[in-house]
Amino acid sequence: MSSIRRPEHQAPPEIFYGVDEANKYTSNTRIMQIQAEMSERALELLALPDEPCYILDLGCGSGLSGECIEEQGHSWVGLDISPAMLDIAGERELEGDLACSDLGEGLPFRAGAFDGAISISALQWLCNADKSYHKPHKRLYTFFSTLYASLSRGSRAVFQFYPENSDQVEMITNQSMKAGFTGGLVVDFPNSTKAKKFFLVLMTGGSQPLPQPLGQEESAQSVGARFESRREKYKNMRGKSVKKSKDWIIEKKERARKKGRDVRPDSKFTGRKRKDRF
């Protein structure tokens, strides 16, 4: 898709999704079907427990994804920057709570409030600088860090989005990793130009296997880029802490104590690197 045709290059989201564009999401059956299919896939990737959950819908639009959440027996809260979209969602008499919010300014929820989060076709908008003071990487970090805090531990956030290029994917994944998430990119139907869909699956409970993409044999592992925090990356090296690190020193001292040896007590200086003497 050329940059000229991409909606995020035409106008800020609150302007692009005006009254006319918002009405398409309740009158165009093809758009409604595509949105429903992507929402159901995002909910599948969330891997929710078999019980009612509390879900955050980021960029909820006219409430099509919220409707899918309700159909699966969950409660939800929807955020969107477009008043016109939220007006349409309100007219549809959905059960979810709605609020107008710029995701790049962070989320206002208490810690651990939600059991999961989904987002359909919204994440790429945060990569644009619609105002002179917008810094996309800072806005992404603010968004991801506040999202991480608002999710219960062990839960997931799943984003269906349309990346413009590999640099955009790298910026998004780097900022989400910096905020504390692990996870990676799941690409459904990678060999199809029309059916191909990108899902960023973020996890809060440490490193876990990525879900299997659709339209690809289970043995293939090339599609589905994984990433993890730097701390986990080092801890997973041969199952041991990095030599000479603080964790490695503490573990070594603990083993010595169990053998009955005299060991200095741990302090804030344990494992601290000392300056070279001249």
Side-chain angles (χ1 to χ4, degrees):
M1 182 181 290
S2 67
S3 61
I4 296 176
R5 294 175 56 193
R6 293 181 68 90
E8 62 268 26
H9 291 312
Q10 298 181 34
E14 64 271 28
I15 297 175
F16 180 84
Y17 289 106
V19 175
D20 292 340
E21 194 69 25
N23 284 328
K24 292 181 183 179
Y25 283 77
T26 52
S27 60
N28 188 311
T29 54
R30 183 174 178 274
I31 290 178
M32 295 172 69
Q33 180 182 355
I34 293 173
Q35 289 285 312
E37 290 173 354
M38 293 190 297
S39 300
E40 290 169 0
R41 175 59 171 156
L43 288 167
E44 179 186 355
L45 293 170
L46 272 187
L48 296 168
D50 190 18
E51 60 185 39
C53 296
Y54 196 37
I55 308 300
L56 179 59
D57 187 358
L58 300 156
C60 64
S62 61
L64 293 174
S65 48
E67 189 173 20
C68 294
I69 295 173
E70 289 179 13
E71 290 174 353
Q72 296 195 18
H74 306 300
S75 302
W76 62 286
V77 172
L79 300 180
D80 202 280
I81 197 172
S82 168
M85 280 290 205
L86 292 172
D87 287 343
I88 295 291
E91 293 171 3
R92 300 181 67 218
E93 298 181 354
L94 299 170
E95 296 177 4
D97 295 318
L98 304 170
C100 189
S101 175
D102 178 0
L103 301 181
E105 294 181 357
L107 307 181
F109 304 108
R110 62 179 174 81
F114 296 96
D115 301 310
I118 66 170
S119 177
I120 307 300
S121 309
L123 186 58
Q124 67 270 11
W125 289 89
L126 289 178
C127 298
N128 275 18
D130 295 322
K131 295 179 172 61
S132 60
Y133 56 86
H134 280 180
K135 301 290 188 292
H137 66 284
K138 290 185 177 180
R139 283 169 57 79
L140 282 165
Y141 176 72
T142 298
F143 166 63
F144 283 125
S145 59
T146 53
L147 173 61
Y148 185 90
S150 67
L151 293 173
S152 58
R153 294 292 78 90
S155 60
R156 295 182 180 184
V158 176
F159 299 83
Q160 180 278 323
F161 70 115
Y162 296 101
E164 184 174 2
N165 49 49
S166 58
D167 290 340
Q168 196 174 85
V169 173
E170 184 177 1
M171 178 171 65
I172 290 171
T173 53
N174 283 347
Q175 296 307 314
S176 62
M177 181 176 63
K178 184 179 176 182
F181 285 106
T182 59
L185 199 63
V186 174
V187 184
D188 285 349
F189 306 105
N191 299 318
S192 170
T193 54
K194 290 186 177 180
K196 187 176 184 179
K197 292 292 183 293
F198 291 82
F199 291 88
L200 180 65
V201 181
L202 301 180
M203 308 172 188
T204 62
S207 182
Q208 303 171 42
L210 273 178
Q212 186 70 22
L214 299 179
Q216 168 178 309
E217 294 182 3
E218 292 185 5
S219 60
Q221 298 293 330
S222 58
V223 178
R226 266 186 95 350
F227 61 89
E228 56 190 357
S229 68
R230 186 176 288 111
R231 179 179 297 176
E232 283 188 332
K233 177 181 178 181
Y234 286 131
K235 280 194 173 183
N236 288 335
M237 293 170 61
R238 300 181 182 178
K240 299 179 181 179
S241 299
V242 180
K243 192 172 183 180
K244 303 296 184 182
S245 68
K246 184 174 182 178
D247 289 339
W248 181 84
I249 293 172
I250 291 175
E251 289 170 4
K252 184 177 180 181
K253 291 172 71 175
E254 189 61 32
R255 289 195 298 270
R257 291 191 185 101
K258 289 179 180 179
K259 293 180 181 179
R261 298 175 182 171
D262 291 331
V263 179
R264 291 184 179 180
D266 297 335
S267 72
K268 65 179 181 180
F269 300 105
T270 300
R272 180 176 292 184
K273 187 176 180 179
R274 293 172 172 79
K275 295 181 179 180
D276 295 331
R277 291 185 178 180
F278 293 96

